[in-house]
Amino acid sequence: EEAPYHDYLQAPLQPLMDNLESQTYEVFEKDPVKCAQYEEAAFQAMTDMKKEITDRKLVLMIVGAGRGPLVKGAINAAKRSQTDVKVYAVEKNPNAIVTLR
């Protein structure tokens, strides 16, 4: 069965201008491949950077953190790579901040 809007152009999301709804975040968060690849990329980067940064914490800034899955992936990557990190999660949408921990 085809989606009801299969043949219609839809306006793109404007997350910088509009606050996304919870349902939109839910769709993004259901993409396990994206989250796994993000975590793996963060793990690889931390593994590489760890060789250069031995005397201080690595600072991570997740800008547009949404409801937190990218933050969780970054923290998991830090644990896997045994990297000492300080994480800043930045989110402008007050609806998302409620669930961002």
Side-chain angles (χ1 to χ4, degrees):
E1 181 174 303
E2 291 185 22
Y5 297 103
H6 182 73
D7 293 329
Y8 296 93
L9 288 176
Q10 296 183 28
L13 296 174
Q14 298 291 332
L16 295 176
M17 184 173 60
D18 303 324
N19 288 329
L20 300 179
E21 295 179 7
S22 185
Q23 301 144 317
T24 306
Y25 286 108
E26 211 169 299
V27 170
F28 292 155
E29 292 165 3
K30 286 184 181 178
D31 185 352
V33 174
K34 179 187 80 170
C35 291
Q37 287 181 334
Y38 180 89
E39 183 176 326
E40 186 59 28
F43 170 76
Q44 293 294 332
M46 288 179 205
T47 300
D48 291 345
M49 295 176 94
K50 189 174 158 184
K51 298 170 192 167
E52 299 172 24
I53 301 173
T54 57
D55 61 338
R56 60 190 188 276
K57 287 185 179 185
L58 178 65
V59 176
L60 299 176
M61 293 192 76
I62 300 153
V63 180
R67 299 193 309 183
L70 299 180
V71 176
K72 183 178 178 183
I75 291 170
N76 289 343
K79 288 177 183 173
R80 287 176 45 213
S81 66
Q82 298 178 339
T83 303
D84 194 15
V85 296
K86 182 165 183 93
V87 178
Y88 293 93
V90 180
E91 178 56 54
K92 72 154 189 81
N93 185 346
N95 302 321
I97 291 173
V98 171
T99 54
L100 180 61
R101 303 201 194 292

